[in-house]
Amino acid sequence: MIAAADIGGHKLAVGLVDDGRVTAEKIVATPLQRMPQAVMDAIFGVLRDLKVPDGAPLALGVPGMVNRKEQRVDCVPNQKGWDGLTALDLEKMAGR
């Protein structure tokens, strides 16, 4: 089981995938300020609504350039505060 979230400029698509099938999903508006902490809080609010178990792996899709080797968001042109964030930064925002 893995949780997944697609972060868009206007909407967040959040779901749960188990054995290759989407078993739950919900789409909500992206917070107006689009700052990382607000977006992560909104994602985890949806995950709670979907009753995703704590500690489930989470895959994030961000609207920009990602440096996979460095595990870092390099550039998100339409959302402030995301450039330079690392996977560890996002984990901390999630309280993991």
Side-chain angles (χ1 to χ4, degrees), residues 69-91:
K69 183 179 178 185
E70 300 293 327
Q71 296 186 3
R72 180 183 66 235
V73 177
D74 279 345
C75 177
V76 177
N78 65 343
Q79 295 181 341
K80 293 182 181 180
W82 287 84
D83 295 357
L85 286 178
T86 65
L88 183 58
D89 296 330
L90 294 169
E91 283 183 48

Side-chain angles (χ1 to χ4, degrees), residues 1-78:
M1 171 184 339
I2 187 167
D6 180 35
I7 302 168
H10 299 284
K11 67 177 179 151
L12 302 174
V14 183
L16 185 62
V17 178
D18 194 10
D19 197 27
R21 293 182 23 247
V22 176
T23 58
E25 62 185 315
K26 186 174 182 179
I27 296 174
V28 298
T30 300
L32 290 177
Q33 66 273 32
R34 299 180 186 166
M35 295 299 287
Q37 187 66 63
V39 170
M40 294 302 289
D41 290 347
I43 289 169
F44 277 88
V46 172
L47 292 175
R48 281 190 296 278
D49 290 349
L50 296 177
K51 302 201 178 350
V52 174
D54 287 344
L58 174 62
L60 290 176
V62 297
M65 304 285 288
V66 175
N67 181 324
R68 288 180 24 184
K69 183 179 178 185
E70 300 293 327
Q71 296 186 3
R72 180 183 66 235
V73 177
D74 279 345
C75 177
V76 177
N78 65 343

